[in-house]
Amino acid sequence: MEGDIPLQSLRLIERNYDMMTDTEKVIANYILKDTDKFVKANIHEMAKTINVSSTSISRFVRKYCNLSFAELKIEVASGINNDAYDNANKIFNWADSFNEMPNNIISSISKTCKDVMGVNGIRPFKQAIEWINAANTVFFFGVGASGIVVMDFMQKLIRLEKRCVYSIDSNFGVLNSRIATKEDIIIAISFSGKTKEVNLAVKEAKKNGAKCIAITRNFKSELEALADLKLLVPSTELNATRLAPIFSRYGQLFIVDILFLGLAKQKTDSIDEFMDQYDNLLSKLK
């Protein structure tokens, strides 16, 4: 897409672009490439110009922006001249704006979390919580930076007395996948969705009927195709290789925290009482 995409809804359209059908890409191109023209056109004029039905346009806007056509036009019109969204590249412009960098990071983390909810909605979180809660064992697969997110999630689930299996060694991870059953759930974490060790483990575990929840980038990938349920992270890193997994990590951890709190709520209505029991156990080690 050409130029900066300052508005949340336009960012959601851009980040979902590679997953769209051909018809949806035609609609996306019209909205993203000439926002002034989009704001001035009514839905019937737009439909005639790009040769798609007005119903398809309405469905597209609702699907990717959770807005009506009129509401999207209002948002775009009000933000055409708004440069409030800081591109991630500016955050790393240390020489010119180091003093502003912390606030830029805070702002971008907030936007990442909002985009996570915008891309996913609440329904897949509820489904994931139901599957994890019902599972006999949770098998985790993730390496590198994603492995750190796995460790965070696993220690949270262990606090909730959920049996977990994970190995930092990717070879053992693949071997562990062979013992997963249909009574278990897989949680695979990979931002790129292309990690061979993770995808191979998921394939093996699914052979025995285990369902897979993938926490991955909002982009078509092998892991995205393998998953039975996807919790998507917006793609906000500097480039494909990434200097460091900064905002993708915050997006992943945000997803983990939502799942943890949802599971904790099902476990007990009194978090204080539950944590007191856990703290009393650990106090015996002091």
Side-chain angles (χ1 to χ4, degrees), residues 3 17 23 57 65 79 84 87 99 106 108 115 120 124 135 144 149 167 169-170 174 192 224 229 263 283:
Y17 187 83
T23 298
I57 296 173
C65 306
N87 187 281
N99 291 337
I106 291 170
S108 292
D115 283 352
N120 294 289
V149 179
S167 177
D169 187 305
S170 58
V174 173
S192 70
E224 183 267 340
L229 181 65
L263 286 160
S283 68

Side-chain angles (χ1 to χ4, degrees), residues 236-253:
T236 55
E237 305 298 359
L238 289 176
N239 50 51
T241 58
R242 296 182 293 162
L243 176 62
I246 296 178
F247 300 115
S248 61
R249 181 190 63 203
Y250 282 113
Q252 290 169 334
L253 290 173

Side-chain angles (χ1 to χ4, degrees), residues 2 5 18 25 42 73 87 95 117 121 128 141 150 163 191-192 194 227 229 239 259 265 281:
E2 299 177 357
I5 305 297
D18 290 301
K25 286 181 178 179
N42 63 48
K73 284 182 61 175
N87 187 281
M117 294 310 301
F141 303 119
V150 166
R163 183 184 294 111
F191 178 73
S192 70
K194 300 176 182 179
L229 181 65
N239 50 51
L259 295 177
K265 181 66 175 175
L281 174 63

Side-chain angles (χ1 to χ4, degrees), residues 57-90:
I57 296 173
S58 295
R59 190 184 304 118
F60 172 92
V61 174
R62 180 64 64 184
K63 177 179 178 180
Y64 292 106
C65 306
N66 197 28
L67 298 172
S68 68
F69 182 80
E71 288 170 337
L72 179 60
K73 284 182 61 175
I74 292 171
E75 180 184 314
V76 173
S78 65
I80 285 176
N81 296 316
N82 184 357
D83 295 324
Y85 181 71
D86 292 316
N87 187 281
N89 287 290
K90 295 180 182 179

Side-chain angles (χ1 to χ4, degrees), residues 148-207:
I148 297 173
V149 179
V150 166
M151 294 294 289
D152 179 82
F153 199 179
M154 185 172 69
Q155 64 90 13
K156 285 181 167 70
L157 290 188
I158 291 173
R159 285 172 178 256
L160 298 177
E161 301 176 349
K162 176 61 67 174
R163 183 184 294 111
C164 301
V165 173
Y166 174 65
S167 177
I168 296 175
D169 187 305
S170 58
N171 290 333
F172 276 107
V174 173
L175 291 175
N176 284 337
S177 69
R178 304 291 296 275
I179 62 174
T181 73
K182 63 182 180 180
E183 306 299 327
D184 306 320
I185 197 77
I186 307 162
I187 297 181
I189 303 180
S190 170
F191 178 73
S192 70
K194 300 176 182 179
T195 308
K196 291 181 180 179
E197 298 89 340
V198 172
N199 292 340
L200 177 58
V202 170
K203 289 177 183 178
E204 288 299 315
K206 284 177 65 70
K207 287 179 181 179

Side-chain angles (χ1 to χ4, degrees), residues 26 48 71 80 85 124 139 179-180 211 226 284:
V26 170
K48 184 177 180 179
E71 288 170 337
I80 285 176
Y85 181 71
F139 284 79
I179 62 174
K211 291 181 179 178
L226 286 170
K284 298 177 182 180

